[in-house]
Amino acid sequence: MTDGILGKAATMEIPIHGNGEARQLPEDDGLEQDLQQVMVSGPNLNETSIVSGGYGGSGDGLIPTGKSISCAGREVWVGPQRCLVYLREAGVRELDPLGSGRHPSHSTTPAGPGDEVARGIAGEKFDIVKKWGINTYKCTKQLLSERFGRGSRTVDLELELQIELLRETKRKYESVLQLGRALTAHLYSLLQTQHALGDAFADLSQKSPELQEEFGYNAETQKLLCKNGETLLGAVNFFVSSINTLVTKTMEDTLMTVKQYEAARLEYDAYRTDLEELSLGPRDAGTRGRLESAQATFQAHRDKYEKLRGDVAIKLKFLEENKIKVMHKQLLLFHNAVSAYFAGNQKQLEQTLQQFNIKLRPPGAEKPSWLEEQ
């Protein structure tokens, strides 16, 4: 095809004005279409040749020497000795000797292995970008059609209801998590105040003999409240940590699968719509090939959609079971710890932590390093 294009460009007559400037030729629609096709498919370097007459050659196909022809990103410079063809799309420079009016001989220099590997990698990257572009276009078209009410959408009512319920549950649990963190911050501030107040009472009991007994009672009470408060704070921290794991890891993992399922659903509907449009069109040799390709692509996206739909259903089921199991334990812990603390039952409070295997760090102990926490 490249021979025909370059040959056509080479045999075009270029009228010259009296001042030596080239006059613009009328547009050739056929040549423009051929050049556009070359821009899409790229040149075939193995078939590139230029037909021209040199000095002493026949008058047919003469190109005026010393002139340049530019078309579709190519520049052909013709001189008395040689012609340079710059193939800008391929990034390759080809030098063809002209002078006898004959076809230039093809280069016999074999391409190096490095060039072949580079071309293969470039071709693979181009195919990936091309597939991504086509897929993005089809999905965007399908999404806009759904938004404007022009396209049909595949809906699994039961699964969609479960997904919406999960999102609503996650929002509510995030609110509980935020309130739990606020409670731990307030409890920590209260403990710091009680600890400072107990130290102040103990100091005054030593310096005020007439009120030594009264200050001593209050100092002991504040120390006891601090101890119980630290136990309660440990229980609340454990409760908050468990809720955080449930929300940010377990629920989020399920929602990530849901996002993949929704993307697969959009692709499935996009290629389904494309297949339906092709099925309604005329049936010829070219259309049948496109229809078979569209059918195979649609089936692949359908299998992906069905698989992810099953994965979402399974994860939603396991998430619900895990959520009930975790929250049953955590709510019981929270209730027993708060009740024992405000009832002043130190023994019951300690038993609650032992029941749920919660270990408190000793007062003044540093936080363990990340290696110890692993």
Side-chain angles (χ1 to χ4, degrees), residues 53-286:
Y55 296 105
S58 61
D60 295 334
L62 286 178
I63 300 177
T65 59
K67 300 295 181 181
S68 65
I69 301 174
S70 300
C71 60
R74 294 176 174 78
E75 289 186 7
V76 181
W77 290 87
V78 183
Q81 298 297 331
R82 58 183 66 241
C83 173
L84 290 178
V85 180
Y86 290 90
L87 302 178
R88 291 180 175 175
E89 305 84 10
V92 178
R93 177 180 295 178
E94 182 176 349
L95 182 63
D96 292 331
L98 298 176
S100 61
R102 297 174 298 178
H103 292 279
S105 59
H106 295 288
S107 175
T108 58
T109 304
D115 294 339
E116 304 231 344
V117 172
R119 290 177 186 174
I121 295 175
E124 291 177 0
K125 290 183 178 180
F126 176 78
D127 291 340
I128 292 173
V129 173
K130 182 178 179 182
K131 291 179 181 179
W132 174 84
I134 294 174
N135 187 71
T136 302
Y137 166 74
K138 291 182 181 294
C139 292
T140 304
K141 180 182 177 182
Q142 175 67 23
L143 183 61
L144 292 176
S145 299
E146 294 176 3
R147 292 288 176 86
F148 290 103
R150 298 176 183 175
S152 59
R153 178 175 182 268
T154 303
V155 179
D156 189 329
L157 293 178
E158 183 179 357
L159 192 61
E160 293 289 337
L161 182 61
Q162 294 178 5
I163 292 173
E164 185 59 31
L165 182 61
L166 170 60
R167 290 191 171 120
E168 181 66 23
T169 302
K170 185 173 182 287
R171 286 191 291 268
K172 293 180 178 179
Y173 274 60
E174 286 174 343
S175 177
V176 172
L177 178 60
Q178 185 179 4
L179 293 173
R181 286 172 174 168
L183 179 60
T184 58
H186 294 319
L187 282 174
Y188 181 77
S189 299
L190 177 62
L191 289 176
Q192 296 299 314
T193 304
Q194 289 177 335
H195 189 273
L197 188 59
D199 290 342
F201 285 155
D203 183 62
L204 286 172
S205 70
Q206 297 294 329
K207 297 180 180 180
S208 303
E210 66 280 2
L211 296 174
Q212 181 178 9
E213 186 175 353
E214 288 79 0
F215 277 127
Y217 288 153
N218 282 277
E220 291 296 329
T221 302
Q222 293 302 320
K223 289 181 180 179
L224 180 61
L225 289 175
C226 283
K227 183 178 180 180
N228 292 343
E230 289 175 354
T231 307
L232 176 64
L233 184 61
V236 175
N237 277 330
F238 187 78
F239 172 81
V240 170
S241 176
S242 299
I243 298 295
N244 181 66
T245 302
L246 180 64
V247 171
T248 61
K249 293 186 178 180
T250 310
M251 290 185 178
E252 190 62 31
D253 177 70
T254 304
L255 286 176
M256 286 296 296
T257 307
V258 169
K259 290 179 182 179
Q260 295 175 4
Y261 158 75
E262 291 175 343
R265 196 278 310 164
L266 183 63
E267 291 179 348
Y268 165 73
D269 283 337
Y271 285 93
R272 175 182 57 79
T273 303
D274 187 45
L275 180 62
E276 291 173 354
E277 291 176 355
L278 285 175
S279 300
L280 296 176
R283 300 294 181 90
D284 54 18

